[in-house]
Amino acid sequence: VLLLCFNRRLGEHLAATVADFELDGPEIKATTFHRLCASASYALTRSGLLVPDDKDDAVRYWKDEAPLVLLEAIAAKKLAPYDAIVVDEGQDFAPSWWEVLEELLAPCDCPRLLAFYDPSQEIFGRGCWVPEAWPVIRLKRNFRNTRQIAEVVKTLGNVDMEPAPRCPEGTPPETRPLESPSRTRKRLSELVHNLVHKERLEPDQIVVLTPHTRPSSCLADQTELGSFPLADDPGNRDRAVLHTTIGAFKGLESDVIILTDVDPTDPRCDRNARYVAASRARHLLYVFARGEWKAVAR
């Protein structure tokens, strides 16, 4: 079984998860589409992919050329076929990727390619290209968020989804005004300090999300918040508060999400991005925003 996703951090999390499975039967491989293409290149030539340095050229390369390397490896029988393929983050996959993945399936009379996707989580401007001819099952139960957070998530995502019956009520998401970078950093440090020392949470239960990378955020040059170190790797954050971008954390989740630098006029803070960010929070959500962050107009 191949478990495939788009986001690198999610791919690492899924790989670590399936590594703990005690299986007597077939293997489960979890990775990203990009790393799958890189593996195909190595299987063919014993060398890596030649990805352009230019950002736009790199996007085109991954969209059009990297899948051809994967297809070539399949044709050369350098990659063993899979009995089944499960895709997460299907809304981020390019149209050509689906055709290649179908070639990676072992011969069988029944389809065994399953994709999970959410059009409202499409934040990279590629469109949602999951094949339209496939049968669709709509998932309408929210098992991640408290009921209070789920209501905000439902509005932002414009999704027909209700909390599962056993989901706790929780507390309403808390909105605070976005001030200057220095004042925002001070407020963030105070909040983290209170969550750990008064609410008795662990630092690694807290994630700070920003639309942009740290050098372009209010946390530029920061190495700690509330006397706790700032980590940037979800898999390596012992006693540290994680900071990452909304896009990099897509597919993951945390007990506490602190969303800052939110400006609905910023393209990186459009409705889909705010929906993605809010839906990461299991129990507590704090938002430092300029203007009405729950506004649904694009």
Side-chain angles (χ1 to χ4, degrees):
V1 175
L2 175 63
L3 177 56
L4 206 59
C5 67
F6 180 88
N7 186 351
R8 177 169 64 91
R9 296 300 193 192
L10 177 59
E12 292 169 351
H13 172 72
L14 294 175
T17 300
V18 301
D20 292 335
F21 290 176
E22 297 181 1
L23 300 175
D24 296 327
E27 174 191 2
I28 301 175
K29 178 181 176 63
T31 188
T32 66
F33 185 83
H34 299 75
R35 286 184 173 174
L36 183 65
C37 293
S39 298
S41 176
Y42 188 79
L44 281 168
T45 64
R46 295 296 172 184
S47 62
L49 295 168
L50 299 176
V51 183
D53 293 329
D54 179 78
K55 184 177 179 180
D56 291 337
D57 288 342
V59 170
R60 284 191 290 271
Y61 178 87
W62 285 114
K63 177 177 176 289
D64 299 323
E65 297 184 43
L68 296 180
V69 176
L70 181 54
L71 194 61
E72 185 179 350
I74 295 170
K77 301 188 183 304
K78 296 293 185 178
L79 296 179
Y82 288 92
D83 299 311
I85 299 175
V86 179
V87 173
D88 195 11
E89 302 182 298
Q91 72 280 346
D92 297 324
F93 278 45
S96 60
W97 297 5
W98 298 109
E99 298 175 8
V100 177
L101 289 180
E102 289 180 346
E103 294 297 322
L104 196 53
L105 283 169
C108 181
D109 293 333
C110 59
R112 289 153 289 114
L113 204 168
L114 173 66
F116 293 87
Y117 70 101
D118 182 352
S120 294
Q121 290 194 46
E122 201 290 290
I123 63 175
F124 299 120
R126 298 187 183 93
C128 185
W129 292 101
V130 177
E132 294 182 356
W134 291 5
V136 175
I137 299 173
R138 299 194 180 279
L139 306 179
K140 297 185 177 183
R141 287 288 177 89
N142 182 329
F143 289 89
R144 172 183 287 152
N145 315 119
T146 63
R147 293 177 181 274
Q148 291 283 352
I149 295 174
E151 282 302 311
V152 174
V153 169
K154 180 179 177 180
T155 299
L156 282 173
N158 191 28
V159 289
D160 181 16
M161 184 178 293
E162 299 298 332
R166 295 178 64 184
C167 283
E169 182 67 22
T171 58
E174 186 172 319
T175 304
R176 302 183 180 186
L178 183 64
E179 303 176 89
S180 66
S182 60
R183 289 184 66 83
T184 299
R185 285 193 296 271
K186 182 179 180 181
R187 300 290 180 260
L188 289 170
S189 289
E190 291 170 349
L191 175 57
V192 169
H193 182 275
N194 289 338
L195 288 170
V196 175
H197 293 288
K198 293 185 178 180
E199 302 298 331
R200 302 300 182 186
L201 295 171
E202 294 294 328
D204 53 13
Q205 291 179 276
I206 304 169
V207 173
V208 180
L209 297 180
T210 51
H212 301 271
T213 58
R214 193 176 303 178
S216 301
S217 76
C218 69
L219 296 176
D221 301 321
Q222 288 292 111
T223 58
E224 63 176 40
L225 274 180
S227 75
F228 296 99
L230 275 177
D232 56 14
D233 182 355
N236 184 21
R237 49 175 303 200
D238 185 38
R239 294 289 296 172
V241 174
L242 176 68
H243 167 253
T244 187
T245 64
I246 296 171
F249 202 64
K250 191 158 66 67
L252 300 171
E253 59 187 31
S254 180
D255 289 331
V256 183
I257 291 292
I258 303 173
L259 176 59
T260 188
D261 290 5
V262 177
D263 182 351
T265 65
D266 181 349
R268 292 287 186 93
C269 281
D270 67 5
R271 175 177 174 176
N272 281 11
R274 285 175 277 138
Y275 164 65
V276 168
S279 62
R280 303 305 97 199
R282 285 194 290 251
H283 297 292
L284 296 173
L285 174 62
Y286 300 88
V287 182
F288 290 75
R290 181 174 293 115
E292 177 47 67
W293 78 279
K294 289 182 284 188
V296 297
R298 288 183 182 273

